[in-house]
C-alpha cells in the first residue's frame, strides 16, 4: 500500500513539469453496495478490489449492475501544489464522468454532491463530467499527509460508476474560474455570413486583463480565414463581450478558436467551436404533403392524425376515401374519430393554397398493429430531466405545431418526473404539483392534432426515484387511457429490486404484464420498452408487444457516446419491422441539459448531420431532446428535411445494415419500399476523407440516379465510381434509384 503512495507522489512530481495536477487515474478501489462507514478515512479497504477508472463498473466485473457503489483512493496532497500555484485559494478535483449521482467525501467530510431531486442521492439521474472546487483552507484537506477520497455513487441504469480520463487533483488555476461562453445563437446574414457574440465570464475576485485571440480555420485545407486579436478585460461584475462577423462561407463547417491570455499570470485558455451550415432547402410556398405513407390504428380506438403539410398559409385540406367513422377538419388538417371495421383503407389526401394543390396516396390500416413507422416527436428527458413541468410541455407542444408538425412530428412525451410521491388511497397514480391537470394537458395537446406520451417503470420506483407501476399495472394503464395518453415509455429501473438477476423470461415478464394491461383499454398507446438492451431485447421486443425497445444505455451529447451507440446497431438491424423498431435512444441536438439549465449540444454540426442521418437509416424513433421553446435556425433546418425524414419513415420499416466498416469510414445501406436504397457514407475520422464506391459494387449496381438527400438534389456522377468528400465526423447521405 505504502509503495503505491510513493509511486503516486513520484508520478505527481514528474508530471508537474507539464501540469501541476496530481493524476488520480490509478490506485482506486471499488465496492458494490452502500455503507456510511465507507466514507471514513479509518475504514480498512484493503480487501476491496482494485478498479480501472478508465471504464465503467459494468466493464470492471459488474455487468448490468445498477444501484450503489463506492470508490476509494488514498492520496498525499503536497503543500508544494499551493506554493507553486498562481492563485492559492482553492483546490480542484476532477472525477472523470459520474454515472449517475455522487457524493464525495474527503477524509470523511462531505465536500460535494451532484444529482438528487430533494437532496436524496437516489433521485437524480444526472450523468456527466464532474469537477469539484473546495477552498484551500477547508479543514477536510490534510496537506502533506495521506488523504482518503471516497466517492459514493448511485447508478440508475445503463453504465455506472466513475469513468473516463480526467482524474486529477490540483489547485484551481486562474483559468479554472473563467468561462468562454459560446452559448448564443449564430445569426445568419447576407453574403453567406455568420455573426455571433461570445462572452468571457468569471466567478473569481481576480481581475482579468489580457488579449482575446480569434481565429477561423478551414479544416479541409487548414488555411486560416480570419485572425484577430483584441484587448479583453473582465471581472465577476463585468463580463467581456466579443462580437464578430465572418463572411463568404461555403456550405461546410469551419473551426473557430478563441484564445484568452491573461497578462498578469501569463495563463492561457483556449476554446473551439465549429460553425453551422444549412443543407435543407427552404420549404416552397407551394403546398406539399409530408410524413409517412401509412398510419395504423386499432378498431374502435380514438383516432387522431394531423396531415403534415407545408406551403403558404392558409392551407385547405381534403381527404377522399376516409373509412366510416373518421372526419377531417378542412381548416386544420386534423383527422379524428374511430373506425370500427378492420381493413386497409386507401385515402387520397389533398392540400391546397392559392398557389395550387398537391395530392398524396395514404393508407389507413385498421388492425392489430399501431406504430407502423417509428414515432416522430419530442421527449422531455434530454432537455429538462426531472425539472419538466406542465408549462414546459405546453411550450413544446405549441412549438411543435407551429414549426415541426408540418413535417410529420407528432408526439409530445413527458419522461420521468411527473409522478406524485404517493398513490391515492384507492391506489390510483396522480401527478405531482408540477402537473396540476393531466387531462387538461392532453386535451390541449390533442387540440393541436398532436399526441401525448408518458413514462413509468415496472419497478416500485422509476430511475428518477418516483413512483413506478409495480403491482398497479392495470390501474395505471386505465388512468393513462382516462387522461388521453398515446405513448408509454416503460423503464426497467427499480424492477431490479424485484428481480435482481433475471433470466430471459424474467426480462420479458414485466413488459408482458404491462402489455396485457394496455390491451385491456380502449386506447392506442405506443409501447416503448426501455431496459438498455438487456438480453438482446431486439430479438424479443416484438414478441412481448413493444412498438420500440431501447438497444443501449443512455445517450449523452458527445461524439463518443452518440457514435459508439449509433455505429453499434448492426446487431439489431434485422429485427426492425413495421410496428416494432430498435431505439438507440433520443436525439441530442439543440439545447440539452438533463435538468433546469441547458447548454448547446456538444456535438459539432457535422456530428449532428451524422446523428440524424444514422438514426433515420436505422428506422429509429426520432425523439427530439431539446428545449423546443428555443429552436435555433440550424436545429430547425436539421429537423425539417422531408427527404431525410422520409428515409426514417419508410413504410418497409427496415433497419440499415453496416455495409463497409474500416478505421476511417463506414457505409450503411437501407432498403426502401420503392425499390431504392438510402446509403450513408460516414467519415469517422478527424480529417476530411473522400469515400468512394465503385458503381458496379452490389450496393450501387443497377441504380443510375444518385440523390443528395440533405440538399435534395441529384448528383451528376461521371466515371466508374461514386465519390464524396466528407467532413470529419460528417456524412454524405444519398438515395439511389432507377
Ligand atoms: C433512464 C432512461 C432515461 C430516462 C431516465 C429517467 O436513465 O434510460 O432515458 O428515462 O431513466 O429517470
Amino acid at each position: 500500500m505504502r509503495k503505491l503512495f510513493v509511486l503516486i507522489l513520484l508520478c505527481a512530481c514528474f508530471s508537474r513539469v507539464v501540469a501541476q495536477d496530481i493524476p488520480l487515474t490509478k490506485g482506486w478501489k471499488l465496492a458494490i453496495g452502500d455503507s456510511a462507514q465507507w466514507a471514513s478515512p479509518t475504514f480498512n479497504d484493503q480487501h476491496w478490489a482494485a478498479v480501472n477508472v478508465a471504464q465503467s463498473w459494468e466493464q470492471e466485473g459488474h455487468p448490468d449492475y445498477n444501484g450503489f457503489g463506492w470508490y476509494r483512493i488514498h492520496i498525499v496532497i503536497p503543500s508544494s501544489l499551493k506554493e507553486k500555484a498562481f492563485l492559492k485559494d482553492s483546490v480542484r478535483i476532477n472525477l472523470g464522468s459520474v454515472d449517475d449521482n455522487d457524493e464525495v467525501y474527503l477524509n470523511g467530510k462531505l465536500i460535494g454532491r451532484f444529482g438528487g431531486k430533494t437532496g436524496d442521492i437516489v433521485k437524480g439521474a444526472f450523468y456527466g463530467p464532474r469537477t469539484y472546487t473546495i477552498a484551500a483552507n477547508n479543514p477536510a484537506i490534510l496537506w502533506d499527509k495521506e488523504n482518503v477520497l471516497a466517492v459514493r455513487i448511485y447508478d440508475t441504469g445503463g453504465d455506472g460508476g466513475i469513468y473516463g480520463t480526467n482524474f486529477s487533483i490540483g489547485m484551481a488555476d486562474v483559468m479554472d474560474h473563467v468561462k468562454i461562453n459560446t452559448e448564443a445563437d449564430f445569426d445568419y446574414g447576407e453574403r453567406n455570413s455568420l455573426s455571433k457574440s461570445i462572452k468571457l465570464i468569471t466567478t473569481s475576485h481576480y481581475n482579468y486583463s489580457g488579449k482575446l485571440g480569434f481565429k477561423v480555420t478551414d479544416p479541409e485545407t487548414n488555411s486560416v480565414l480570419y485572425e484577430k486579436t483584441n484587448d479583453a478585460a473582465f471581472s465577476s461584475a463585468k463580463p467581456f463581450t466579443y462580437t464578430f462577423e465572418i463572411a463568404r462561407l461555403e456550405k461546410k463547417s469551419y473551426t473557430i478558436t478563441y484564445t484568452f491570455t491573461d497578462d498578469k499570470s501569463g495563463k492561457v485558455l483556449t476554446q473551439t467551436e465549429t460553425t453551422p451550415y444549412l443543407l435543407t432547402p427552404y420549404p416552397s410556398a407551394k403546398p406539399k404533403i409530408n410524413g409517412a405513407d401509412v398510419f395504423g390504428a386499432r378498431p374502435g380506438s380514438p383516432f387522431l392524425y394531423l396531415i403534415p403539410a407545408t406551403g403558404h398559409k392558409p392551407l385547405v385540406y381534403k381527404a377522399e376515401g376516409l373509412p366510416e367513422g373518421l372526419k377531417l377538419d378542412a381548416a386544420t388538417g386534423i383527422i379524428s374519430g374511430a373506425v370500427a371495421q378492420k381493413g386497409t383503407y386507401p385515402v387520397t389526401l389533398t392540400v391546397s393554397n392559392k398557389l395550387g394543390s398537391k395530392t398524396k396516396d395514404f393508407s389507413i390500416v385498421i388492425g392489430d398493429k399501431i406504430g407502423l413507422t417509428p414515432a416522430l416527436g419530442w421527449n422531455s428527458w434530454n432537455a429538462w430531466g426531472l425539472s419538466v413541468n406542465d408549462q414546459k410541455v405546453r411550450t413544446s407542444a405549441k412549438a411543435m405545431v407551429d414549426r415541426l408538425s408540418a413535417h410529420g412530428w407528432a408526439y409530445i412525451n413527458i419522461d420521468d418526473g411527473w409522478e406524485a410521491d404517493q398513490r391515492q388511497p384507492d391506489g390510483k397514480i396522480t401527478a405531482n404539483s408540477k402537473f396540476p391537470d393531466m387531462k387538461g394537458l392532453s386535451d390541449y395537446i390533442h387540440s393541436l392534432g398532436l399526441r401525448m406520451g408518458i413514462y413509468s417503470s415496472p419497478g416500485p420506483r422509476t430511475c428518477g426515484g418516483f413512483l413506478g407501476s409495480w403491482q398497479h399495472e392495470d390501474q395505471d394503464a386505465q388512468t393513462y387511457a382516462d387522461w388521453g395518453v398515446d405513448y408509454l415509455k416503460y423503464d426497467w429501473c427499480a424492477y431490479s429490486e424485484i428481480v435482481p438477476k433475471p433470466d430471459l423470461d424474467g426480462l420479458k415478464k414485466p413488459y408482458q404484464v404491462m402489455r396485457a394491461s394496455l390491451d385491456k383499454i380502449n386506447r392506442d398507446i405506443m409501447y416503448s420498452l426501455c431496459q438498455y438492451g438487456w438480453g438482446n431485447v431486439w430479438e424479443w421486443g416484438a414478441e412481448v408487444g413493444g412498438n420500440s425497445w431501447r438497444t443501449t444505455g443512455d445517450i449523452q451529447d458527445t461524439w463518443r457516446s452518440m457514435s459508439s451507440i449509433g455505429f453499434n446497431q448492426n446487431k439489431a438491424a434485422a429485427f426492425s419491422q413495421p410496428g416494432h423498431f430498435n431505439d438507440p435512444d433520443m436525439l441530442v441536438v439543440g439545447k440539452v441539459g438533463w435538468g433546469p439549465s441547458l447548454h448547446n449540444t456538444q456535438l459539432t454540426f457535422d456530428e449532428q448531420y451524422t446523428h440524424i442521418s444514422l438514426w433515420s437509416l436505422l428506422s429509429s424513433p426520432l425523439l427530439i431532446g431539446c428545449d423546443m421553446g428555443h429552436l435555433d435556425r440550424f436545429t430547425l433546418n436539421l429537423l425539417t428535411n422531408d427527404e431525410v425524414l422520409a428515409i426514417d419513415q419508410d413504410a418497409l420499416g427496415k433497419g440499415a445494415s453496416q455495409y463497409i466498416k474500416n478505421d476511417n469510414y463506414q457505409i450503411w445501406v437501407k432498403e426502401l419500399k420503392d425499390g431504392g436504397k438510402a446509403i450513408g457514407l460516414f467519415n469517422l475520422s478527424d480529417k476530411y476523407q473522400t469515400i468512394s464506391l465503385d458503381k458496379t459494387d452490389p450496393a450501387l449496381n443497377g441504380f443510375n440516379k444518385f440523390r443528395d438527400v440533405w440538399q435534395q438534389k441529384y448528383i451528376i456522377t461521371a466515371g466508374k465510381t461514386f465519390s464524396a468528400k466528407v467532413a470529419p465526423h460528417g456524412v454524405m447521405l444519398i438515395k439511389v434509384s432507377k
Side-chain angles (χ1 to χ4, degrees):
M1 178 65 61
R2 185 156 294 275
K3 264 195 204 137
L4 189 68
F5 301 148
V6 176
L7 201 68
I8 289 175
L9 205 59
L10 277 177
C11 292
C13 296
F14 181 71
S15 65
R16 200 171 299 147
V17 181
V18 208
Q20 295 197 332
D21 285 16
I22 298 175
L24 297 181
T25 41
K26 295 206 167 73
W28 288 93
K29 292 184 150 197
L30 166 67
I32 291 301
D34 193 30
S35 161
Q37 288 174 24
W38 296 348
S40 165
T42 55
F43 173 76
N44 182 354
D45 57 24
Q46 245 165 357
H47 58 286
W48 280 25
V51 64
N52 173 8
V53 289
Q55 20 191 42
S56 67
W57 67 34
E58 274 78 5
Q59 293 165 296
E60 285 291 294
H62 304 282
D64 298 344
Y65 177 72
N66 304 314
F68 284 102
W70 284 73
Y71 290 78
R72 284 169 61 97
I73 190 170
H74 297 245
I75 175 89
V76 173
I77 308 177
S79 52
S80 57
L81 268 187
K82 212 175 356 179
E83 281 142 29
K84 294 197 176 163
F86 187 81
L87 288 186
K88 302 178 192 300
D89 46 3
S90 28
V91 170
R92 184 202 354 82
I93 303 172
N94 292 320
L95 284 179
S97 265
V98 165
D99 202 339
D100 291 285
N101 313 300
D102 58 294
E103 283 173 353
V104 182
Y105 296 84
L106 186 60
N107 301 314
K109 300 191 181 69
L110 182 69
I111 57 162
R113 69 196 320 271
F114 212 106
K117 182 177 74 100
T118 49
D120 171 1
I121 187 173
V122 179
K123 294 186 178 178
F126 195 97
Y127 35 67
R130 216 67 99 227
T131 294
Y132 290 102
T133 307
I134 57 169
N137 61 7
N138 187 321
I141 308 175
L142 303 176
W143 292 99
D144 296 317
K145 296 202 181 101
E146 182 186 310
N147 291 259
V148 176
L149 189 61
V151 185
R152 181 189 186 214
I153 298 286
Y154 184 80
D155 172 35
T156 62
D159 286 346
I162 55 176
Y163 51 83
T165 50
N166 189 22
F167 289 89
S168 62
I169 183 164
M171 298 303 294
D173 196 354
V174 175
M175 293 305 174
D176 281 325
H177 305 286
V178 177
K179 213 173 154 205
I180 301 178
N181 183 322
T182 58
E183 286 296 313
D185 291 345
F186 280 94
D187 283 324
Y188 299 71
E190 286 162 19
R191 300 178 304 135
N192 297 325
S193 75
L194 285 172
S195 58
K196 174 166 177 164
S197 291
I198 61 134
K199 278 188 166 43
L200 298 178
I201 49 179
T202 180
T203 46
S204 161
H205 299 307
Y206 183 78
N207 286 327
Y208 294 81
S209 172
K211 300 261 180 289
L212 176 67
F214 169 78
K215 189 163 127 183
V216 183
T217 47
D218 178 345
E220 189 179 352
T221 57
N222 285 325
S223 57
V224 176
L225 274 80
Y226 281 83
E227 197 159 17
K228 249 190 125 185
T229 306
N230 288 278
D231 290 336
F234 56 99
S235 62
S236 57
K238 201 164 171 269
F240 177 80
T241 304
Y242 178 64
T243 304
F244 61 83
E245 183 178 1
I246 38 183
R248 289 185 294 277
L249 297 170
E250 290 171 47
K251 256 191 192 173
K252 62 180 180 182
S253 258
Y254 297 83
T255 308
I256 306 181
T257 310
Y258 308 99
T259 311
F260 174 69
T261 311
D262 179 56
D263 284 344
K264 265 178 289 172
S265 64
K267 303 277 181 184
V268 178
L269 182 67
T270 300
Q271 187 165 318
T272 58
E273 68 171 325
T274 57
T275 60
Y277 62 105
L278 307 178
L279 291 179
T280 305
Y282 200 74
S284 158
K286 290 187 183 156
K288 177 160 125 324
I289 306 179
N290 306 308
D293 297 342
V294 353
F295 183 74
R298 297 191 302 173
S301 292
F303 185 102
L304 183 70
Y305 185 81
L306 169 64
I307 301 171
T310 43
H312 250 305
K313 293 197 170 144
L315 295 169
V316 179
Y317 299 81
K318 221 172 92 189
E320 277 170 275
L322 280 183
E324 201 185 318
L326 295 188
K327 63 175 195 316
L328 165 73
D329 181 325
T332 60
I334 298 175
I335 303 174
S336 60
V339 186
Q341 283 301 315
K342 280 191 178 181
T344 297
Y345 300 91
V347 177
T348 307
L349 304 175
T350 306
V351 174
S352 327
N353 67 10
K354 58 176 192 267
L355 297 170
S357 71
K358 194 82 192 193
T359 62
K360 171 177 166 151
D361 293 334
F362 185 66
S363 280
I364 292 178
V365 186
I366 304 298
D368 298 327
K369 272 200 181 186
I370 62 166
L372 301 181
T373 63
L376 290 183
W378 173 84
N379 172 295
S380 56
W381 184 250
N382 291 354
W384 302 115
L386 298 175
S387 76
V388 61
N389 62 26
D390 176 277
Q391 191 51 52
K392 285 169 175 160
V393 175
R394 282 173 194 260
T395 302
S396 301
K398 184 74 176 65
M400 181 167 283
V401 84
D402 286 347
R403 311 182 76 182
L404 289 169
S405 61
H407 305 274
W409 297 92
Y411 285 90
I412 291 290
N413 294 353
I414 307 165
D415 206 280
D416 205 357
W418 62 267
E419 314 87 335
D421 277 336
Q422 276 190 332
R423 289 180 178 268
Q424 289 179 355
D426 62 357
K428 195 175 167 209
I429 186 92
T430 45
N432 58 43
S433 59
K434 294 187 291 156
F435 289 90
D437 179 9
M438 275 295 194
K439 178 72 171 72
L441 181 56
S442 92
D443 285 347
Y444 170 70
I445 291 171
H446 293 151
S447 75
L448 303 174
L450 307 175
R451 298 180 213 113
M452 185 173 95
I454 212 161
Y455 166 99
S456 188
S457 169
R461 277 179 299 102
T462 66
C463 290
F466 289 87
L467 281 181
S469 296
W470 167 238
Q471 294 188 323
H472 290 275
E473 294 84 358
D474 276 354
Q475 212 175 7
D476 285 0
Q478 188 56 54
T479 304
Y480 303 153
D482 296 343
W483 283 344
V485 167
D486 307 290
Y487 189 110
L488 171 67
K489 172 173 170 183
Y490 207 47
D491 193 356
W492 182 276
C493 304
Y495 193 77
S496 287
E497 290 169 16
I498 309 298
V499 184
K501 290 209 184 320
D503 58 10
L504 193 57
D505 286 341
L507 284 171
K508 293 179 184 174
K509 174 99 185 292
Y511 291 96
Q512 290 162 327
V513 170
M514 184 49 103
R515 176 72 266 168
S517 302
L518 292 175
D519 286 342
K520 288 179 200 158
I521 56 170
N522 172 33
R523 193 163 182 94
D524 291 354
I525 297 189
M526 290 272 266
Y527 190 30
S528 149
L529 319 187
C530 178
Q531 43 85 289
Y532 337 113
W534 292 348
N536 292 354
V537 60
W538 45 90
E539 291 168 6
W540 49 267
E543 173 200 322
V544 300
N547 296 108
S548 65
W549 45 82
R550 274 271 294 276
T551 53
T552 77
D554 289 12
I555 197 168
Q556 301 176 24
D557 60 325
T558 61
W559 169 249
R560 181 185 146 129
S561 168
M562 185 276 286
S563 66
S564 65
I565 289 176
F567 291 112
N568 269 309
Q569 295 300 310
N570 200 35
K571 56 191 183 219
F575 299 91
S576 175
Q577 51 176 301
H580 310 284
F581 297 100
N582 293 304
D583 171 8
D585 206 1
M586 301 174 288
L587 304 179
V588 279
V589 301
K591 288 207 180 283
V592 295
W594 292 270
S597 55
L598 305 183
H599 60 263
N600 290 332
T601 175
Q602 297 174 70
L603 297 184
T604 67
F605 298 99
D606 282 307
E607 289 165 358
Q608 295 183 59
Y609 281 122
T610 289
H611 188 17
I612 302 298
S613 304
L614 184 52
W615 265 236
S616 297
L617 284 164
L618 296 171
S619 292
S620 161
L622 299 179
L623 293 171
I624 304 166
C626 71
D627 174 9
M628 296 268 286
H630 186 116
L631 279 173
D632 62 281
R633 192 155 159 200
F634 174 83
T635 309
L636 195 62
N637 187 271
L638 181 74
L639 298 173
T640 52
N641 193 307
D642 297 312
E643 294 195 15
V644 175
L645 294 174
I647 293 176
D648 180 73
Q649 295 291 300
D650 187 73
L652 203 57
K654 294 252 183 186
S657 53
Q658 192 176 45
Y659 185 66
I660 290 182
K661 178 186 181 210
N662 64 34
D663 286 347
N664 288 329
Y665 67 85
Q666 294 194 12
I667 298 180
W668 288 66
V669 180
K670 172 176 181 170
E671 287 169 42
L672 301 172
K673 178 109 198 249
D674 66 5
K677 289 175 187 172
I679 305 180
L681 301 98
F682 296 94
N683 177 0
L684 278 79
S685 81
D686 295 334
K687 295 200 174 61
Y688 264 84
Q689 302 275 341
T690 297
I691 306 179
S692 306
L693 261 187
D694 210 282
K695 285 185 187 164
T696 56
D697 185 284
L700 299 184
N701 204 8
F703 295 97
N704 51 20
K705 281 160 122 187
F706 298 78
R707 190 160 169 88
D708 176 335
V709 184
W710 279 103
Q711 301 211 56
Q712 303 184 357
K713 53 188 189 200
Y714 286 103
I715 306 167
I716 313 295
T717 55
K720 289 197 174 118
T721 52
F722 173 81
S723 290
K725 200 165 57 180
V726 186
H729 296 182
V731 59
M732 174 66 162
L733 181 64
I734 59 170
K735 188 182 159 183
V736 297
S737 53
K738 287 181 181 153

